[in-house]
Amino acid sequence: MAAELLGAESDRRLVERVLATRDESALLTIVLRHGAMVYHVCRRVLRHPQDAEDAFQATFLVLAQELHTVRKRNSLAGWLHGVALRVSRKARARAAARQRREAGAARPEAVSPDDLTWGEVRSALDDELSRLPDRLRLPLVLCYLEGRTQDEAADQLGWSKSTLRRRLEQARGALGSRLKGRGIAWSAALPAVMASDSLAATATPPTCVDSTVAAALAVVNGKPLALAASAEVTVLTEGVLITMSVTRIGVVAGALIVLTLATAAVGGHFFAAPAAQAEVQPEDGPALPVGSFPMPERASARAEEPKRAEKPEPLTLKGHTGEVWSVCFSPDGKRILTGGGALPRGGAGVAGGAGGDPPGPGEVKVWDAENGTEILALKGHTGMVHGVCFSPDGKRIATAGAFEDETVRVWDAEKGHELFTLKGQTQSTGSVCFRPDGKRIATISLEHVKVWDAGKGQELLTLKADVRPTGSVCFSPNGRRIASVYPWSRFGRSVPAEIKVWDAEKGQELLALKGHTGEVLSVCFSPDGKRLASAGLEDQTVRVWDAEKGEELLALKGHSGPVSSACFSPDGKRIITASWDQTVKVWDAVKGRELLTLKGHTGLVRSVCFSPDGKRLASASGDKTVNVWSLDKEE
């Protein structure tokens, strides 16, 4: 049941749920979605059912071990097909060696005589399919080996239907040419495989799925392979992991060799030039002539110059027992508000999940911004808290839960007791914002954006769109507009997000900003209300928009992972960003130049914010800490 609730989620979001929360239901959904294809690959290579089940389990254990390295997460089908083929070949080699040791003893075969007729065809098909580039291999795997319709495959890959059809036709031609070289007619190969794979006898055994999910979850949680699976499965998994590691090392080593040779060639050319080409000028003199280079002793003299001061260590706030999802300074800059908590491993929507841990209470904490001591702990949320904010006067706090606890609560910021819960708020995605005058609160759910009376907790306005919102909501500095992110997902895949700008009084849509190629997690106005910044999950960029005309002004590129949060400095001259690559970056908000990278977190960085004076910034992370950085000495 838990997995059914996640059936519409894209592969990317399922992977992210497993990485972020160790969600068993998300892992089960991945296995159920791609298990049949993986099992059939294993059966095509391995004729013995037990060998096929071992290879099936090893394939998903490799995925569990390598989840964080998988780059193309929109569709795991192609990646899993390649790993399944590699694991099955290794299992076949081990089985052949075992048979030789057993003096040719026969192994029982649970396949029909007709199945044996197509053994060579199957082997050739998978071999050649694995050699095609992703743009050709993926549509074939999805449409033929996983049985998706062309519309479903296009949606999952994020392609238009015409692109899918064109590449599918190209893929058929390319695969047909490769098979023809082996003496196999394309028209006969694929129907044969599909017919044999549809046999009930080749259905993935439910017990195999159960044991695979349990073992994969154990590996994701850090359990050694040898303790998570049988000896045979462990050997297969470790063998493929070693091969993959060697391949990666080889690619890196090859690149380094090429770079070294290129550098040596360039250096040799330069230093072979006549020494009298030009006289080395003093540092404060005129520029060196084109083509001349400082002599080695000059370079060594520069190496002796004093090094720049090291970046100061941040103040680290420790006390959360789960991931920290959001952070906010008080209006006077003297306090820091954080929200977080752990998700149950069983998945969202089911208390405790499918055999997972019961949901833990959400955590809301208030800290002294100078010395990092905990001042208050607000207790009341029953599940993780995704969004927090102070009221403009600093006297109240609003917190938004997500998943198990979908409530939005308002608290007394001094005493820490709950004032009220917004009634009628359902399916909260954990974003909340006070209007600059403190009289209104905006919240976002999987249904609509809502505006509430901040004093009484009454619902005043619902912003209705034709798609579901997600992620983030914020008021403009003058309180007249609201920005929010759409849509959540469509047809089980991530889609390019829109940032919608609304009239905060009438609820009318004013603008729809388009440019991101995937989902967006965060949006915020500049202090003057003339610009918007949005943090892209999939395209790993921050985009800056003209908030009046809807035109894109800048695209900030530099993070190596999804960008989860973006925030303008109080003077509007800088933007800070948080990323899953474990870094925080500071940017020039006008020119788009990267000014500074802050490293210190050991987990995904979820949220960032500036202090009111712009001299400090705070970053919240999945490593259960908040870092407070000083920008005075940096600049």
Side-chain angles (χ1 to χ4, degrees), residues 209-230:
V209 172
D210 292 342
S211 61
T212 298
V213 173
L217 185 63
V219 170
V220 169
N221 283 317
K223 192 173 185 178
L225 277 170
L227 300 179
S230 67

Side-chain angles (χ1 to χ4, degrees), residues 24-25 54 81 108 126 171 246 263 272 304 306 320 366 409 414 420 456 472 513 519 532 539 559 571 632:
E24 182 180 3
S25 299
D54 287 347
H81 176 271
D126 282 313
V246 170
T263 304
E304 294 171 1
H320 277 276
V366 181
R409 301 167 187 255
E414 298 296 332
F420 55 83
K456 300 177 181 179
S472 181
L513 313 182
E519 294 182 43
L532 274 167
D539 58 22
H559 281 293
D571 61 7
D632 287 341

Side-chain angles (χ1 to χ4, degrees), residues 497-582:
E498 297 180 8
I499 295 93
K500 293 184 181 293
V501 180
W502 305 81
D503 184 305
E505 294 295 331
K506 299 178 181 179
Q508 296 176 344
E509 182 180 326
L510 303 176
L511 289 173
L513 313 182
K514 301 178 182 180
H516 283 284
T517 58
E519 294 182 43
V520 171
L521 292 184
S522 168
V523 63
C524 70
F525 278 97
S526 62
D528 60 6
K530 295 181 179 180
R531 291 168 294 166
L532 274 167
S534 54
L537 177 72
E538 292 175 57
D539 58 22
Q540 302 179 8
T541 67
V542 172
R543 298 177 189 264
V544 182
W545 313 81
D546 184 312
E548 301 292 338
K549 301 178 181 178
E551 299 173 352
E552 183 178 321
L553 303 175
L554 293 172
L556 311 182
K557 300 179 181 180
H559 281 293
S560 59
V563 186
S564 50
S565 180
C567 178
F568 278 97
S569 62
D571 61 7
K573 295 180 180 180
R574 293 165 295 170
I575 295 174
I576 50 172
T577 57
S579 172
W580 292 10
D581 64 10
Q582 304 182 0

